[in-house]
Amino acid sequence: MATIYQVSELAGVSLATVSRVMNKNTRVSDKTKQKVLDAMEQLGYKPNSIAQSLASNCTNSVGILVSELHGPFFAQMMAGIESELRAAGKHVIITTGHSEEDKEQEGIEFLISRRCDAIILHVEAVSDDYLIKLSKGSTPVYLMSRYVEQLKDNCISLDNQLGGYLATKSILNQGHTQIAYIAGPQFKADAFNRLEGHKQALVEAGIKLDPTLFYIGDFNETGGSKGLKHFIDEKLSFTALVCANDEMASGAMKYAREHGYNLPNDLSIVGFDNVIFANYLYPTLTTIDNPVGKMGEMAAKLVLKDVYQNKNLVINRFFEPTLMQRDSSAPLIK
Amino acid sequence: MATIYQVSELAGVSLATVSRVMNKNTRVSDKTKQKVLDAMEQLGYKPNSIAQSLASNCTNSVGILVSELHGPFFAQMMAGIESELRAAGKHVIITTGHSEEDKEQEGIEFLISRRCDAIILHVEAVSDDYLIKLSKGSTPVYLMSRYVEQLKDNCISLDNQLGGYLATKSILNQGHTQIAYIAGPQFKADAFNRLEGHKQALVEAGIKLDPTLFYIGDFNETGGSKGLKHFIDEKLSFTALVCANDEMASGAMKYAREHGYNLPNDLSIVGFDNVIFANYLYPTLTTIDNPVGKMGEMAAKLVLKDVYQNKNLVINRFFEPTLMQRDSSAPLIK
DNA sequence: TTGTAGGCGTTATCAT
DNA sequence: ATGATAACGCCTACAA
């Protein structure tokens, strides 16, 4: 691998001059510039980004921590972040936290030790205090789908309460009044706020939240099937089921069908997130669109603006979910 | 950020000694070792991995190029690679190629310029010759789901032909003889070999490949729906449909259902890959399990063994797919 | 076992 | 506009 020094020799200029033509900021005479360019070409010179990083104290890399690499939700998010960053010549270092506190912390330290210029986190287990302390360090921290008041300028978040509200509201609008709800783990802010929205819609409609028609799932498919099983086993009466995410909705749909339910006539089901497979389900799943891809792009833009001085980028830190009415929910048949 | 120099000062030893306690290979007396450890602790010292990389000419990072970040197929693969590598203290730099030749090449150069210790590629558009030339460079290259004879030691691949064979064979075993096939883009080796397997099964059963019951799709959902539409519009007679991947199978299932087909009685459908949502479809999709996650882990192990001298790892470069018989295919009803 | 010193390939600050 | 030269933080012969 050719070095900058060899280029300078072949071009008959100093090493500093070569560096200058690479970092286009300072002026170099056209003649010498051409000599340098030719020399680079001839040697097939590629700058060593590691050395550049060490000297400039800038790695051009941003760390990303997600809960899981598989899973449609994170995939969309990463795709958004990567494409935006890549276009700006930055690269991403991706690691996982598995929604466990120690693994999340370990992942974060890992990214920091790698000297990322910034880190974008989708963390669930770690505490607000930890994040606040973390953000006082020298590596800028950005949060996806998590809102921490003291860090609000660095948060890209979704109005989960609005989403929860829209989901239940859509069911209420279809005439349902006996509505079961399968929530996500309540330590996750997303899950908590979605439930808040559910409650809000019920209150607004003058309906009491029936504590028996409430189940806390695990955000996985099994959570949905177990939840529905629970409601059925208890012989409860309900015509609609709202789930705090699509995976659980899918599990519930499957369980319902296996137990002779005709969907959506016997039971209306609504999910949340609009992950890719929501549209593959049968019937296609009515859900709340969570624009994670767009949010990922925005997080990347925010980093580009804050950390890489890309001034004229317009930032929107707050996204609103929308209802995707499909076939898994339908007006109540009396 | 504390440097190794500050640690050495506080510990009252030389800088080299500090370096030694970090790189546990050379012996240091317990007493001085403890002094150093204490000093590190006190200063909250974290080695600068960039400087380490420059000095040691090892970045502890491996580059990964996939076609897409979203998409269940790649997600599984990356999850496998990342978990294995992460456990060994290496990290992954991920980028995308979008199945386009220039983007794939650009991605590869990008990873190399980052001085990755190795790169793991899932490329589709780039030529074998390019890969062969690439592998002569200083960065070790590993290929996922692509077999290039000259690079065979660095390939982790699936027996796609066997998979294609198993898919069609399963349908034949169920008594079907009029079998439509929706292939993937034939420039992709996976797609080509799956088709070969299909042909092989037909030949073995003494059935001629009916060229009218053949359609080339795009590996996306629309490819499946378009393919089935084509067969139906042409008023062709067939009782089973084999698709070269699950996305297309899903599209075909959807189209079939929308057009009054009762699945699987009116039409048996088989996919390929066993991506996550295959089990979410209705009816659940009979498909060929493609162990991408395991293959990702294996690719990581191969890198660990070759590049990072992790001697005692057992490598298996060749994976065999298996049939996942589910509900979308059933014995032919006469 | 420990210390000294040169080198890794750049960037950046001085001069000139 | 260009050229020396000192960082950047660490590794690693080579010496002691």
Side-chain angles (χ1 to χ4, degrees), chain A residues 49 86 95 113 254 279 282, chain B residues 49 86 95 113 254 279 282:
Chain A
S49 63
R86 175 74 193 291
T95 188
S113 81
K254 206 177 258 186
N279 202 29
Y282 176 73
Chain B
S49 62
R86 174 75 193 290
T95 188
S113 80
K254 205 179 258 183
N279 202 28
Y282 177 73

Side-chain angles (χ1 to χ4, degrees), chain B residues 87-147:
Chain B
K90 313 302 174 189
H91 72 281
V92 299
I93 296 180
I94 296 179
T95 188
T96 54
H98 301 283
S99 306
E100 293 170 34
E101 185 168 12
D102 53 343
K103 289 194 181 170
E104 287 184 351
Q105 292 191 6
E106 188 196 322
I108 291 169
E109 291 189 4
F110 181 77
L111 294 174
I112 292 178
S113 80
R114 291 296 176 185
R115 294 300 197 270
C116 293
D117 297 332
I119 55 181
I120 298 175
L121 270 28
H122 185 294
V123 284
E124 304 179 303
V126 125
S127 73
D128 280 10
D129 285 346
Y130 172 84
L131 291 172
I132 292 169
K133 190 190 293 178
L134 182 68
S135 70
K136 299 212 172 96
S138 51
T139 307
V141 177
Y142 296 86
L143 264 30
M144 292 282 303
S145 297
R146 174 154 176 174
Y147 183 79

Side-chain angles (χ1 to χ4, degrees), chain A residues 205-319:
Chain A
I207 295 178
K208 277 196 287 283
L209 175 74
D210 181 347
T212 65
L213 284 175
F214 178 76
Y215 182 89
I216 293 190
D218 59 1
F219 264 169
N220 294 319
E221 230 191 339
T222 49
S225 51
K226 281 185 188 167
L228 181 54
K229 176 177 178 352
H230 166 76
F231 295 141
I232 291 175
D233 288 352
E234 297 282 318
K235 302 198 190 309
L236 299 170
S237 169
F238 56 102
T239 63
L241 171 65
V242 178
C243 298
N245 79 350
D246 290 347
E247 274 85 352
M248 296 198 299
S250 163
M253 278 174 65
K254 206 177 258 186
Y255 189 85
R257 218 170 26 229
E258 285 167 0
H259 288 73
Y261 281 71
N262 178 12
L263 303 178
N265 292 342
D266 295 345
L267 180 65
S268 280
I269 298 183
V270 179
F272 199 120
D273 279 341
N274 192 24
V275 297
I276 297 189
F277 71 71
N279 202 29
Y280 288 180
L281 295 172
Y282 176 73
T284 56
L285 183 65
T286 295
T287 187
I288 300 297
D289 185 59
N290 184 346
V292 263
K294 294 271 175 225
M295 290 170 68
E297 288 174 19
M298 192 54 78
K301 280 184 185 157
L302 183 50
V303 169
L304 253 21
K305 181 168 190 168
D306 279 6
V307 179
Y308 297 115
Q309 288 80 38
N310 210 325
K311 293 300 178 196
N312 40 14
L313 282 173
V314 182
I315 303 300
N316 168 27
R317 292 181 175 73
F318 216 55
F319 285 71

Side-chain angles (χ1 to χ4, degrees), chain B residues 166-211:
Chain B
L166 290 175
T168 298
K169 179 79 176 172
S170 80
I171 281 296
L172 288 165
N173 285 346
Q174 291 181 321
H176 298 269
T177 55
Q178 296 178 304
I179 304 171
Y181 190 85
I182 300 181
Q186 291 297 296
F187 73 88
K188 300 192 182 187
D190 296 15
F192 180 82
N193 291 322
R194 289 171 191 188
L195 175 58
E196 286 299 304
H198 171 65
K199 289 177 181 171
Q200 178 191 342
L202 288 183
V203 166
E204 200 179 283
I207 296 178
K208 278 197 286 281
L209 176 74
D210 182 348

